Amino acid sequence: MKKKHHHKKKPSWVKKWSAKLHLWLGLSVGVVVFIVSLTGSMYVFKDEIQNILRKDAIWVKPGTITQSPVPIAVLKEKVSLEVNEKFPISSVEIPLDKNKSYEFLYYEKDKKGWNYFQEVKINKLVYVNQYTGQVLGVYDEKYDLFPILKAIHWSLLLKTDWGKYAVGIPVVLFIIMLLTGIVLWWPKNKKARRARFSFDWKNVKTWKRKNYDLHSILGFYVSFIALLMGLTGIYFSYPWVKNVFNFTLSGSLELPKEKDIKSPDSLLAKNHSIYDITARETKNLYQESSSFRIPLNGKNKKGKELKNIPVTVYQKEGRFSERSLIVFDKYSGKILSNKPHQSLTNAEKYANANYDIHTGSYFGLFGKIIWFLAGLVCTSLPVTGFLIWWGKYKKQGKKKS
């Protein structure tokens, strides 16, 4: 009797083209994916590490705490004299925990700069004991490890306006790679499925097989978190991605624009205690919050002059997702508008939460740990993927010779 020959079933055209796309895209953007994933993983625990390294600056000595802190205008003047910078102080972040110091920020950008170091003129953080006026620590954030890691992750140290596309385009391609990777991983039947979920190296002696398993199995487990990372990442890069999120969540392409409120007290002389008034009112309204930020240079993030004083309130420490906005008259200190987090549209709430979701902090310490591990796996994928291709390439070369 003739023996029956069992021919391997040819892969479907979907898997065939998925394999080609996966390979071509991986070879083209693998280096960028490696850099972005590694810097993102290193950035995840920024707050925890800095809280340890800067504890003497963050916490004031219990013996110096008094009932009333020094006026903000006086503290601002003291910081300006001691730090002696040519740039004005941008803002102050005030914690509701009386044991924590005030954070005065110097931040200025140059629109003509073509890279991170030219674009950021100054990014300096000054910790001040609000009860004595003593400067507890001055940190040049421009040259600190974490802001540089963030700049690499965000724009490969290029100018932000177009550097974000140098990262954004590879991330879009990485998302396609993740989807094609899931297609390639997907088993044909139940028997094959069992082998795809775990490592079985009892009878495996070659490193090539182990490398393949590391790429495919770890890649599958991390793919869904990596997709979330990728989507929240391109949210920052592409306006159309924001528009899709906005329309899905609130039925409108654009977020509601903040209206400029005309000051009713513009003819009055500016109250010298204006910042203390805003701080006191903010504390009264949001007693359960973590901290709030007051702009001190009269400009917004884009460098435009502020008609009033918008105070951003952060509900939880280390989180941007739950934040509220109070607008004060810059002459009298009267509250012109109060927009608590609860009153925001779903699209606005998501816009505030996107950064926290991207870093994992939205899900607490557990989320950060998962995001950190997922980031490390994403860092390994271009390496293991390249080794798979290189092994096949060398094998094909030997066959030809």
Side-chain angles (χ1 to χ4, degrees), residues 81-108:
L81 290 171
E82 188 158 336
V83 179
N84 194 26
E85 280 289 348
K86 62 180 179 180
F87 301 101
I89 295 172
S90 306
S91 63
V92 59
E93 183 165 343
I94 299 174
L96 266 74
D97 187 341
K98 292 183 178 181
N99 297 292
K100 285 189 170 183
S101 59
Y102 284 12
E103 297 177 16
F104 286 84
L105 176 69
Y106 288 89
Y107 191 79
E108 199 86 26

PDB file of all heavy atoms in Angstrom, residues 81-108:
ATOM      1  N   LEU A  81      15.334  86.540  43.951  1.00  0.00           N
ATOM      2  CA  LEU A  81      16.617  87.095  44.400  1.00  0.00           C
ATOM      3  C   LEU A  81      17.656  86.006  44.622  1.00  0.00           C
ATOM      4  O   LEU A  81      18.830  86.173  44.274  1.00  0.00           O
ATOM      5  CB  LEU A  81      16.408  87.901  45.692  1.00  0.00           C
ATOM      6  CG  LEU A  81      15.645  89.223  45.545  1.00  0.00           C
ATOM      7  CD1 LEU A  81      15.326  89.808  46.916  1.00  0.00           C
ATOM      8  CD2 LEU A  81      16.447  90.224  44.719  1.00  0.00           C
ATOM      9  N   GLU A  82      17.238  84.892  45.197  1.00  0.00           N
ATOM     10  CA  GLU A  82      18.193  83.831  45.515  1.00  0.00           C
ATOM     11  C   GLU A  82      18.616  83.028  44.287  1.00  0.00           C
ATOM     12  O   GLU A  82      19.787  82.710  44.118  1.00  0.00           O
ATOM     13  CB  GLU A  82      17.607  82.890  46.571  1.00  0.00           C
ATOM     14  CG  GLU A  82      18.619  81.877  47.085  1.00  0.00           C
ATOM     15  CD  GLU A  82      18.249  81.317  48.438  1.00  0.00           C
ATOM     16  OE1 GLU A  82      17.497  81.991  49.186  1.00  0.00           O
ATOM     17  OE2 GLU A  82      18.702  80.216  48.758  1.00  0.00           O
ATOM     18  N   VAL A  83      17.648  82.708  43.440  1.00  0.00           N
ATOM     19  CA  VAL A  83      17.964  81.905  42.245  1.00  0.00           C
ATOM     20  C   VAL A  83      18.628  82.768  41.178  1.00  0.00           C
ATOM     21  O   VAL A  83      19.475  82.303  40.421  1.00  0.00           O
ATOM     22  CB  VAL A  83      16.694  81.224  41.694  1.00  0.00           C
ATOM     23  CG1 VAL A  83      17.004  80.410  40.440  1.00  0.00           C
ATOM     24  CG2 VAL A  83      16.086  80.318  42.759  1.00  0.00           C
ATOM     25  N   ASN A  84      18.216  84.050  41.119  1.00  0.00           N
ATOM     26  CA  ASN A  84      18.847  85.029  40.223  1.00  0.00           C
ATOM     27  C   ASN A  84      18.813  84.586  38.754  1.00  0.00           C
ATOM     28  O   ASN A  84      19.846  84.495  38.093  1.00  0.00           O
ATOM     29  CB  ASN A  84      20.293  85.290  40.667  1.00  0.00           C
ATOM     30  CG  ASN A  84      20.879  86.533  40.006  1.00  0.00           C
ATOM     31  OD1 ASN A  84      20.143  87.446  39.617  1.00  0.00           O
ATOM     32  ND2 ASN A  84      22.192  86.554  39.855  1.00  0.00           N
ATOM     33  N   GLU A  85      17.602  84.337  38.253  1.00  0.00           N
ATOM     34  CA  GLU A  85      17.432  83.985  36.852  1.00  0.00           C
ATOM     35  C   GLU A  85      16.904  85.181  36.068  1.00  0.00           C
ATOM     36  O   GLU A  85      16.192  86.029  36.599  1.00  0.00           O
ATOM     37  CB  GLU A  85      16.434  82.819  36.725  1.00  0.00           C
ATOM     38  CG  GLU A  85      17.021  81.447  36.998  1.00  0.00           C
ATOM     39  CD  GLU A  85      17.965  80.979  35.899  1.00  0.00           C
ATOM     40  OE1 GLU A  85      17.994  81.607  34.815  1.00  0.00           O
ATOM     41  OE2 GLU A  85      18.681  79.991  36.137  1.00  0.00           O
ATOM     42  N   LYS A  86      17.244  85.257  34.784  1.00  0.00           N
ATOM     43  CA  LYS A  86      16.762  86.355  33.942  1.00  0.00           C
ATOM     44  C   LYS A  86      15.307  86.145  33.520  1.00  0.00           C
ATOM     45  O   LYS A  86      14.652  87.076  33.051  1.00  0.00           O
ATOM     46  CB  LYS A  86      17.646  86.520  32.708  1.00  0.00           C
ATOM     47  CG  LYS A  86      17.689  85.322  31.783  1.00  0.00           C
ATOM     48  CD  LYS A  86      18.596  85.607  30.585  1.00  0.00           C
ATOM     49  CE  LYS A  86      18.666  84.397  29.648  1.00  0.00           C
ATOM     50  NZ  LYS A  86      19.541  84.642  28.486  1.00  0.00           N
ATOM     51  N   PHE A  87      14.825  84.901  33.682  1.00  0.00           N
ATOM     52  CA  PHE A  87      13.441  84.592  33.315  1.00  0.00           C
ATOM     53  C   PHE A  87      12.525  84.743  34.530  1.00  0.00           C
ATOM     54  O   PHE A  87      12.947  84.518  35.669  1.00  0.00           O
ATOM     55  CB  PHE A  87      13.338  83.160  32.786  1.00  0.00           C
ATOM     56  CG  PHE A  87      14.188  82.894  31.583  1.00  0.00           C
ATOM     57  CD1 PHE A  87      15.404  82.226  31.712  1.00  0.00           C
ATOM     58  CD2 PHE A  87      13.791  83.320  30.327  1.00  0.00           C
ATOM     59  CE1 PHE A  87      16.195  81.979  30.608  1.00  0.00           C
ATOM     60  CE2 PHE A  87      14.577  83.076  29.216  1.00  0.00           C
ATOM     61  CZ  PHE A  87      15.785  82.408  29.346  1.00  0.00           C
ATOM     62  N   PRO A  88      11.262  85.115  34.292  1.00  0.00           N
ATOM     63  CA  PRO A  88      10.319  85.244  35.420  1.00  0.00           C
ATOM     64  C   PRO A  88       9.848  83.869  35.918  1.00  0.00           C
ATOM     65  O   PRO A  88       9.908  82.884  35.178  1.00  0.00           O
ATOM     66  CB  PRO A  88       9.150  86.025  34.806  1.00  0.00           C
ATOM     67  CG  PRO A  88       9.181  85.657  33.360  1.00  0.00           C
ATOM     68  CD  PRO A  88      10.633  85.483  33.007  1.00  0.00           C
ATOM     69  N   ILE A  89       9.369  83.821  37.143  1.00  0.00           N
ATOM     70  CA  ILE A  89       8.801  82.583  37.687  1.00  0.00           C
ATOM     71  C   ILE A  89       7.464  82.340  37.000  1.00  0.00           C
ATOM     72  O   ILE A  89       6.627  83.240  36.900  1.00  0.00           O
ATOM     73  CB  ILE A  89       8.617  82.690  39.214  1.00  0.00           C
ATOM     74  CG1 ILE A  89       9.985  82.825  39.897  1.00  0.00           C
ATOM     75  CG2 ILE A  89       7.884  81.479  39.759  1.00  0.00           C
ATOM     76  CD1 ILE A  89       9.890  83.125  41.381  1.00  0.00           C
ATOM     77  N   SER A  90       7.258  81.126  36.535  1.00  0.00           N
ATOM     78  CA  SER A  90       6.055  80.802  35.761  1.00  0.00           C
ATOM     79  C   SER A  90       4.844  80.523  36.647  1.00  0.00           C
ATOM     80  O   SER A  90       3.746  81.026  36.389  1.00  0.00           O
ATOM     81  CB  SER A  90       6.314  79.580  34.870  1.00  0.00           C
ATOM     82  OG  SER A  90       7.440  79.773  34.071  1.00  0.00           O
ATOM     83  N   SER A  91       5.046  79.705  37.682  1.00  0.00           N
ATOM     84  CA  SER A  91       3.908  79.288  38.495  1.00  0.00           C
ATOM     85  C   SER A  91       4.367  78.778  39.853  1.00  0.00           C
ATOM     86  O   SER A  91       5.563  78.566  40.081  1.00  0.00           O
ATOM     87  CB  SER A  91       3.116  78.181  37.783  1.00  0.00           C
ATOM     88  OG  SER A  91       3.928  77.028  37.617  1.00  0.00           O
ATOM     89  N   VAL A  92       3.402  78.576  40.725  1.00  0.00           N
ATOM     90  CA  VAL A  92       3.672  77.955  42.015  1.00  0.00           C
ATOM     91  C   VAL A  92       2.638  76.859  42.238  1.00  0.00           C
ATOM     92  O   VAL A  92       1.458  77.040  41.962  1.00  0.00           O
ATOM     93  CB  VAL A  92       3.629  78.984  43.173  1.00  0.00           C
ATOM     94  CG1 VAL A  92       2.265  79.669  43.270  1.00  0.00           C
ATOM     95  CG2 VAL A  92       3.970  78.306  44.508  1.00  0.00           C
ATOM     96  N   GLU A  93       3.111  75.699  42.694  1.00  0.00           N
ATOM     97  CA  GLU A  93       2.192  74.615  43.055  1.00  0.00           C
ATOM     98  C   GLU A  93       2.155  74.522  44.573  1.00  0.00           C
ATOM     99  O   GLU A  93       3.189  74.384  45.227  1.00  0.00           O
ATOM    100  CB  GLU A  93       2.626  73.283  42.444  1.00  0.00           C
ATOM    101  CG  GLU A  93       1.632  72.165  42.746  1.00  0.00           C
ATOM    102  CD  GLU A  93       1.819  70.927  41.888  1.00  0.00           C
ATOM    103  OE1 GLU A  93       2.486  71.016  40.836  1.00  0.00           O
ATOM    104  OE2 GLU A  93       1.289  69.868  42.268  1.00  0.00           O
ATOM    105  N   ILE A  94       0.943  74.608  45.104  1.00  0.00           N
ATOM    106  CA  ILE A  94       0.741  74.651  46.551  1.00  0.00           C
ATOM    107  C   ILE A  94       0.050  73.375  47.021  1.00  0.00           C
ATOM    108  O   ILE A  94      -1.082  73.086  46.604  1.00  0.00           O
ATOM    109  CB  ILE A  94      -0.099  75.879  46.946  1.00  0.00           C
ATOM    110  CG1 ILE A  94       0.644  77.165  46.532  1.00  0.00           C
ATOM    111  CG2 ILE A  94      -0.407  75.884  48.435  1.00  0.00           C
ATOM    112  CD1 ILE A  94      -0.148  78.436  46.742  1.00  0.00           C
ATOM    113  N   PRO A  95       0.704  72.583  47.872  1.00  0.00           N
ATOM    114  CA  PRO A  95       0.075  71.361  48.391  1.00  0.00           C
ATOM    115  C   PRO A  95      -0.871  71.682  49.541  1.00  0.00           C
ATOM    116  O   PRO A  95      -0.661  72.661  50.265  1.00  0.00           O
ATOM    117  CB  PRO A  95       1.273  70.545  48.875  1.00  0.00           C
ATOM    118  CG  PRO A  95       2.290  71.572  49.256  1.00  0.00           C
ATOM    119  CD  PRO A  95       2.088  72.753  48.356  1.00  0.00           C
ATOM    120  N   LEU A  96      -1.904  70.887  49.708  1.00  0.00           N
ATOM    121  CA  LEU A  96      -2.789  71.095  50.846  1.00  0.00           C
ATOM    122  C   LEU A  96      -2.235  70.455  52.110  1.00  0.00           C
ATOM    123  O   LEU A  96      -2.684  70.770  53.218  1.00  0.00           O
ATOM    124  CB  LEU A  96      -4.193  70.566  50.546  1.00  0.00           C
ATOM    125  CG  LEU A  96      -5.141  71.640  49.992  1.00  0.00           C
ATOM    126  CD1 LEU A  96      -4.801  71.987  48.548  1.00  0.00           C
ATOM    127  CD2 LEU A  96      -6.587  71.209  50.106  1.00  0.00           C
ATOM    128  N   ASP A  97      -1.269  69.574  51.946  1.00  0.00           N
ATOM    129  CA  ASP A  97      -0.563  69.010  53.090  1.00  0.00           C
ATOM    130  C   ASP A  97       0.397  70.071  53.629  1.00  0.00           C
ATOM    131  O   ASP A  97       1.342  70.485  52.948  1.00  0.00           O
ATOM    132  CB  ASP A  97       0.217  67.761  52.647  1.00  0.00           C
ATOM    133  CG  ASP A  97       0.848  67.018  53.820  1.00  0.00           C
ATOM    134  OD1 ASP A  97       1.012  67.616  54.909  1.00  0.00           O
ATOM    135  OD2 ASP A  97       1.202  65.839  53.637  1.00  0.00           O
ATOM    136  N   LYS A  98       0.165  70.532  54.853  1.00  0.00           N
ATOM    137  CA  LYS A  98       0.978  71.597  55.440  1.00  0.00           C
ATOM    138  C   LYS A  98       2.435  71.208  55.640  1.00  0.00           C
ATOM    139  O   LYS A  98       3.296  72.075  55.845  1.00  0.00           O
ATOM    140  CB  LYS A  98       0.372  72.031  56.777  1.00  0.00           C
ATOM    141  CG  LYS A  98      -0.969  72.732  56.642  1.00  0.00           C
ATOM    142  CD  LYS A  98      -1.472  73.192  57.992  1.00  0.00           C
ATOM    143  CE  LYS A  98      -2.791  73.946  57.858  1.00  0.00           C
ATOM    144  NZ  LYS A  98      -3.293  74.436  59.175  1.00  0.00           N
ATOM    145  N   ASN A  99       2.719  69.916  55.611  1.00  0.00           N
ATOM    146  CA  ASN A  99       4.088  69.445  55.821  1.00  0.00           C
ATOM    147  C   ASN A  99       4.934  69.475  54.549  1.00  0.00           C
ATOM    148  O   ASN A  99       6.132  69.235  54.592  1.00  0.00           O
ATOM    149  CB  ASN A  99       4.079  68.015  56.367  1.00  0.00           C
ATOM    150  CG  ASN A  99       3.409  67.930  57.727  1.00  0.00           C
ATOM    151  OD1 ASN A  99       3.923  68.442  58.713  1.00  0.00           O
ATOM    152  ND2 ASN A  99       2.242  67.298  57.772  1.00  0.00           N
ATOM    153  N   LYS A 100       4.284  69.757  53.416  1.00  0.00           N
ATOM    154  CA  LYS A 100       5.001  69.796  52.144  1.00  0.00           C
ATOM    155  C   LYS A 100       5.311  71.221  51.724  1.00  0.00           C
ATOM    156  O   LYS A 100       4.540  72.151  52.000  1.00  0.00           O
ATOM    157  CB  LYS A 100       4.175  69.100  51.053  1.00  0.00           C
ATOM    158  CG  LYS A 100       4.180  67.591  51.152  1.00  0.00           C
ATOM    159  CD  LYS A 100       3.528  66.984  49.925  1.00  0.00           C
ATOM    160  CE  LYS A 100       3.746  65.486  49.887  1.00  0.00           C
ATOM    161  NZ  LYS A 100       3.170  64.891  48.668  1.00  0.00           N
ATOM    162  N   SER A 101       6.427  71.386  51.036  1.00  0.00           N
ATOM    163  CA  SER A 101       6.874  72.714  50.612  1.00  0.00           C
ATOM    164  C   SER A 101       6.179  73.173  49.334  1.00  0.00           C
ATOM    165  O   SER A 101       5.614  72.359  48.594  1.00  0.00           O
ATOM    166  CB  SER A 101       8.386  72.694  50.392  1.00  0.00           C
ATOM    167  OG  SER A 101       8.736  71.737  49.406  1.00  0.00           O
ATOM    168  N   TYR A 102       6.260  74.485  49.074  1.00  0.00           N
ATOM    169  CA  TYR A 102       5.754  75.056  47.833  1.00  0.00           C
ATOM    170  C   TYR A 102       6.762  74.772  46.711  1.00  0.00           C
ATOM    171  O   TYR A 102       7.967  74.725  46.948  1.00  0.00           O
ATOM    172  CB  TYR A 102       5.583  76.566  47.965  1.00  0.00           C
ATOM    173  CG  TYR A 102       4.373  77.021  48.761  1.00  0.00           C
ATOM    174  CD1 TYR A 102       3.625  76.134  49.529  1.00  0.00           C
ATOM    175  CD2 TYR A 102       3.978  78.355  48.754  1.00  0.00           C
ATOM    176  CE1 TYR A 102       2.528  76.567  50.265  1.00  0.00           C
ATOM    177  CE2 TYR A 102       2.883  78.804  49.489  1.00  0.00           C
ATOM    178  CZ  TYR A 102       2.170  77.906  50.242  1.00  0.00           C
ATOM    179  OH  TYR A 102       1.083  78.331  50.976  1.00  0.00           O
ATOM    180  N   GLU A 103       6.246  74.621  45.491  1.00  0.00           N
ATOM    181  CA  GLU A 103       7.112  74.389  44.336  1.00  0.00           C
ATOM    182  C   GLU A 103       6.965  75.552  43.347  1.00  0.00           C
ATOM    183  O   GLU A 103       5.905  75.723  42.732  1.00  0.00           O
ATOM    184  CB  GLU A 103       6.754  73.079  43.630  1.00  0.00           C
ATOM    185  CG  GLU A 103       6.956  71.851  44.498  1.00  0.00           C
ATOM    186  CD  GLU A 103       6.523  70.565  43.798  1.00  0.00           C
ATOM    187  OE1 GLU A 103       6.365  70.603  42.555  1.00  0.00           O
ATOM    188  OE2 GLU A 103       6.330  69.549  44.483  1.00  0.00           O
ATOM    189  N   PHE A 104       8.024  76.341  43.213  1.00  0.00           N
ATOM    190  CA  PHE A 104       8.041  77.446  42.250  1.00  0.00           C
ATOM    191  C   PHE A 104       8.735  76.966  40.978  1.00  0.00           C
ATOM    192  O   PHE A 104       9.818  76.372  41.036  1.00  0.00           O
ATOM    193  CB  PHE A 104       8.773  78.657  42.825  1.00  0.00           C
ATOM    194  CG  PHE A 104       7.988  79.395  43.867  1.00  0.00           C
ATOM    195  CD1 PHE A 104       7.991  78.978  45.197  1.00  0.00           C
ATOM    196  CD2 PHE A 104       7.223  80.514  43.531  1.00  0.00           C
ATOM    197  CE1 PHE A 104       7.259  79.657  46.166  1.00  0.00           C
ATOM    198  CE2 PHE A 104       6.493  81.191  44.488  1.00  0.00           C
ATOM    199  CZ  PHE A 104       6.508  80.769  45.809  1.00  0.00           C
ATOM    200  N   LEU A 105       8.088  77.233  39.848  1.00  0.00           N
ATOM    201  CA  LEU A 105       8.600  76.732  38.574  1.00  0.00           C
ATOM    202  C   LEU A 105       9.015  77.860  37.644  1.00  0.00           C
ATOM    203  O   LEU A 105       8.270  78.819  37.429  1.00  0.00           O
ATOM    204  CB  LEU A 105       7.528  75.882  37.878  1.00  0.00           C
ATOM    205  CG  LEU A 105       7.868  75.355  36.481  1.00  0.00           C
ATOM    206  CD1 LEU A 105       8.970  74.303  36.552  1.00  0.00           C
ATOM    207  CD2 LEU A 105       6.629  74.789  35.799  1.00  0.00           C
ATOM    208  N   TYR A 106      10.227  77.724  37.081  1.00  0.00           N
ATOM    209  CA  TYR A 106      10.671  78.566  35.973  1.00  0.00           C
ATOM    210  C   TYR A 106      10.520  77.726  34.699  1.00  0.00           C
ATOM    211  O   TYR A 106      11.095  76.637  34.610  1.00  0.00           O
ATOM    212  CB  TYR A 106      12.151  78.932  36.111  1.00  0.00           C
ATOM    213  CG  TYR A 106      12.496  79.926  37.184  1.00  0.00           C
ATOM    214  CD1 TYR A 106      12.793  79.510  38.483  1.00  0.00           C
ATOM    215  CD2 TYR A 106      12.565  81.293  36.897  1.00  0.00           C
ATOM    216  CE1 TYR A 106      13.144  80.418  39.461  1.00  0.00           C
ATOM    217  CE2 TYR A 106      12.925  82.215  37.885  1.00  0.00           C
ATOM    218  CZ  TYR A 106      13.205  81.763  39.162  1.00  0.00           C
ATOM    219  OH  TYR A 106      13.567  82.673  40.129  1.00  0.00           O
ATOM    220  N   TYR A 107       9.773  78.221  33.735  1.00  0.00           N
ATOM    221  CA  TYR A 107       9.645  77.471  32.478  1.00  0.00           C
ATOM    222  C   TYR A 107       9.451  78.432  31.317  1.00  0.00           C
ATOM    223  O   TYR A 107       8.544  79.261  31.320  1.00  0.00           O
ATOM    224  CB  TYR A 107       8.475  76.498  32.535  1.00  0.00           C
ATOM    225  CG  TYR A 107       8.462  75.531  31.370  1.00  0.00           C
ATOM    226  CD1 TYR A 107       9.303  74.429  31.352  1.00  0.00           C
ATOM    227  CD2 TYR A 107       7.623  75.743  30.271  1.00  0.00           C
ATOM    228  CE1 TYR A 107       9.312  73.541  30.285  1.00  0.00           C
ATOM    229  CE2 TYR A 107       7.622  74.861  29.204  1.00  0.00           C
ATOM    230  CZ  TYR A 107       8.472  73.763  29.216  1.00  0.00           C
ATOM    231  OH  TYR A 107       8.479  72.904  28.145  1.00  0.00           O
ATOM    232  N   GLU A 108      10.321  78.315  30.346  1.00  0.00           N
ATOM    233  CA  GLU A 108      10.264  79.180  29.159  1.00  0.00           C
ATOM    234  C   GLU A 108      10.712  78.379  27.944  1.00  0.00           C
ATOM    235  O   GLU A 108      11.685  77.621  28.014  1.00  0.00           O
ATOM    236  CB  GLU A 108      11.180  80.387  29.357  1.00  0.00           C
ATOM    237  CG  GLU A 108      10.881  81.547  28.432  1.00  0.00           C
ATOM    238  CD  GLU A 108       9.792  82.479  28.963  1.00  0.00           C
ATOM    239  OE1 GLU A 108       9.604  82.542  30.196  1.00  0.00           O
ATOM    240  OE2 GLU A 108       9.130  83.110  28.132  1.00  0.00           O
TER     241      GLU A 108
END
